């Protein structure tokens, strides 16, 4: 069970990284894959963008904070599952 949670967190992490990399290429973000990643990643990233403004109006560090938070949440869920399983 914990393996499934870790795998899902890892897949979503890669999706977030791909979405951030696609944001550097304007035409790639409008592609089919870019739109799908946007629909899956933007709701999660928007939570962090509300609280973390871009640095100098250009550099958005909210994806970095979102990835760190995702790791912590994933580890917390894994710990709770291990607690209840054992």
């Amino acid at each position: 069970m914990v393996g499934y949670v870790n795998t899902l967190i890892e897949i979503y992490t890669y999706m977030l990284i791909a979405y951030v990399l696609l944001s550097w290429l304007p035409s790639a973000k409008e592609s089919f894959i870019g739109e799908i990643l946007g629909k899956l990643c933007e709701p999660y990233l928007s939570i962090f963008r509300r609280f973390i403004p871009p640095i100098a109006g250009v550099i958005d560090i909210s994806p970095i904070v979102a990835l760190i938070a995702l790791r912590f949440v994933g580890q917390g869920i894994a710990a709770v599952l291990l607690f209840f399983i054992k």
Side-chain angles (χ1 to χ4, degrees):
M1 185 68 144
V2 175
Y4 292 126
V5 171
N6 287 336
T7 302
L8 289 174
I9 297 292
E10 190 171 335
I11 289 170
Y12 197 68
T13 299
Y14 290 133
M15 288 170 54
L16 286 171
I17 292 170
Y19 182 67
V20 169
L21 292 176
L22 282 177
S23 70
W24 294 349
L25 305 168
S27 62
K29 200 172 182 181
E30 296 171 358
S31 68
F32 177 71
I33 300 217
E35 288 181 12
I36 289 175
L37 286 176
K39 288 179 183 178
L40 294 172
C41 297
E42 199 57 45
Y44 178 68
L45 290 174
S46 67
I47 296 168
F48 296 95
R49 287 188 178 135
R50 274 189 247 147
F51 301 109
I52 305 169
I55 297 174
V58 179
I59 301 171
D60 185 14
I61 62 165
S62 60
I64 297 169
V65 177
L67 286 170
I68 293 169
L70 183 64
R71 285 288 172 187
F72 279 125
V73 169
Q75 290 175 354
I77 291 171
V80 168
L81 286 174
L82 283 175
F83 177 76
F84 284 117
I85 290 173
K86 288 187 178 183

